[in-house]
């Protein structure tokens, strides 16, 4: 079992690979590739498929285990999840495909390595801004080598900047947040992986999202945790779930702020 320093070295190697694939596969197709729809109505592009192919070839050379990607069938994902306790790569080759396809420069490569279904190290990389968020269990979280967070979280909820995905939370909670917001201001960027990292960095103070898949949060959850933040499922349970399960999430940049945020959400759900 690798120790914390070894996991950090693996995270840095993963960061280098993410940069290479983004430079060679993703960015050359930015603003040039057509968008297509999957059976569930979500978007994908040639860049999603080609970058997933590259990662599937390269990642097992960094650490042993199969590669579970968003651009796979549900049956393939379920099989890999069931057999992947000893080591499993979970990737979203382009998180924020709608942004990517529409020319909005807010999307990311998101990759996590899991053992016993828990993230051990991971990377979220925005190739447009060249911002690489990465973390290793027990070794901290970083943005381009600078330890996270970049700034302290708001001391109390009324001063907080919140990341809110209104379209996936309940109508009642959405109405409460819109009419009687407990925070200072609200943002939504269209890339779950980067939003997790923004909480870890202190750019956002609190966060709620009504429905994320494993590849949306696997790397971001670890990055936030290693930066000193807290997160759990919106229903109060454990967050990590299999690839077929969509989870609501609640998170904050500090334990104190998380307690206040969670209390408000519980009272208004």
């Amino acid at each position: 079992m690798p120790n914390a320093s070894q996991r950090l070295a693996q995270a840095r190697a993963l960061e280098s690979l993410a940069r290479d694939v983004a430079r060679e596969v993703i960015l050359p197709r930015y603003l040039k590739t057509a968008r297509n729809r999957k059976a569930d109505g979500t978007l994908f592009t040639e860049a999603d498929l080609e970058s997933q192919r590259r990662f599937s070839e390269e990642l097992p050379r960094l650490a042993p285990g199969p590669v579970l990607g968003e651009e796979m069938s549900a049956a393939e994902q379920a099989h890999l999840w069931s057999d992947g306790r000893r080591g499993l790569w979970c990737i979203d080759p382009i998180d924020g495909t709608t942004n990517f396809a529409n020319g909005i420069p807010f999307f990311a490569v998101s990759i996590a390595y899991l053992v016993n279904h828990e993230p051990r190290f991971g990377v979220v990389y925005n190739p447009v801004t060249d911002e690489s968020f990465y973390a290793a269990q027990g070794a901290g979280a970083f943005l381009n080598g600078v330890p996270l967070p970049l700034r302290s979280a708001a001391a109390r909820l009324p001063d907080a900047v919140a990341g809110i995905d209104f379209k996936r939370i309940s109508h009642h909670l959405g109405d409460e947040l819109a009419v009687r917001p407990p925070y200072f201001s609200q943002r939504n960027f269209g890339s779950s992986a980067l939003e997790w990292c923004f909480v870890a960095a202190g750019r956002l103070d609190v966060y709620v999202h009504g429905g994320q898949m494993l590849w949306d949060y696997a790397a971001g959850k670890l990055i936030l945790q290693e930066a000193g933040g807290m997160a759990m499922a919106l229903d109060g349970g454990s967050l990590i779930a299999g690839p077929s399960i969509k989870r609501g999430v609640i998170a904050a940049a500090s334990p104190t702020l998380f307690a206040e945020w969670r209390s408000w959400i519980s009272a208004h759900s």
Side-chain angles (χ1 to χ4, degrees):
M1 177 72 70
N3 60 33
S5 62
Q6 291 169 326
R7 288 192 293 268
L8 184 57
Q10 290 174 306
R12 287 172 173 153
L14 177 59
E15 178 195 27
S16 178
L17 175 61
R19 289 179 183 274
D20 289 345
V21 174
R23 182 181 65 252
E24 296 166 12
V25 178
I26 297 173
L27 283 179
R29 292 170 169 82
Y30 184 43
L31 304 176
K32 298 177 183 178
T33 186
R35 62 184 186 178
N36 304 281
R37 288 194 180 272
K38 293 182 276 190
D40 64 2
T42 57
L43 296 182
F44 73 95
T45 69
E46 177 193 2
D48 293 88
L49 300 178
E50 180 61 19
S51 54
Q52 179 162 291
R53 185 192 67 78
R54 276 286 302 275
F55 283 125
S56 295
E57 292 176 353
E58 299 289 343
L59 288 172
R61 299 173 186 171
L62 296 183
V67 178
L68 188 160
E70 182 186 6
E71 311 306 330
M72 287 181 170
S73 71
E76 288 177 294
Q77 292 168 351
H79 173 73
L80 293 177
W81 177 257
S82 177
D83 290 350
R85 282 194 170 273
R86 298 180 65 182
L88 178 70
W89 290 100
C90 179
I91 71 170
D92 190 344
I94 302 178
D95 180 73
T97 298
T98 299
N99 286 350
F100 176 81
N102 281 41
I104 300 170
F106 198 86
F107 55 88
V109 176
S110 180
I111 309 173
Y113 184 70
L114 289 75
V115 177
N116 291 324
H117 294 165
E118 285 291 334
R120 304 302 184 187
F121 59 90
V123 169
V124 175
Y125 177 59
N126 182 340
V128 175
T129 61
D130 192 33
E131 288 192 319
S132 179
F133 300 87
Y134 62 94
Q137 185 186 47
F142 305 86
L143 167 56
N144 291 351
V146 178
L148 296 178
L150 302 178
R151 60 177 290 276
S152 298
R156 58 194 192 101
L157 189 55
D159 298 324
V161 175
I164 311 289
D165 188 287
F166 278 102
K167 71 179 180 179
R168 293 180 178 87
I169 57 178
S170 70
H171 291 304
H172 176 72
L173 179 57
D175 289 345
E176 290 291 298
L177 287 165
V179 175
R180 286 175 289 275
Y183 42 72
F184 171 72
S185 188
Q186 172 267 327
R187 300 289 184 270
N188 175 239
F189 297 102
S191 168
S192 299
L194 283 173
E195 288 167 345
W196 277 96
C197 294
F198 275 27
V199 183
R203 294 171 176 174
L204 296 172
D205 298 298
V206 296
Y207 184 53
V208 67
H209 193 292
Q212 293 187 0
M213 304 301 286
L214 175 65
W215 43 83
D216 293 319
Y217 61 77
K221 171 184 179 291
L222 177 64
I223 292 168
L224 174 61
Q225 177 182 310
E226 289 295 322
M230 291 187 66
M232 66 169 48
L234 190 55
D235 63 10
S238 175
L239 183 56
I240 295 291
S244 64
I245 301 172
K246 188 172 286 189
R247 304 289 272 169
V249 302
I250 177 173
S254 73
T256 300
L257 197 55
F258 181 84
E260 189 177 357
W261 180 226
R262 182 186 178 193
S263 177
W264 191 95
I265 292 284
S266 297
H268 293 82
S269 293

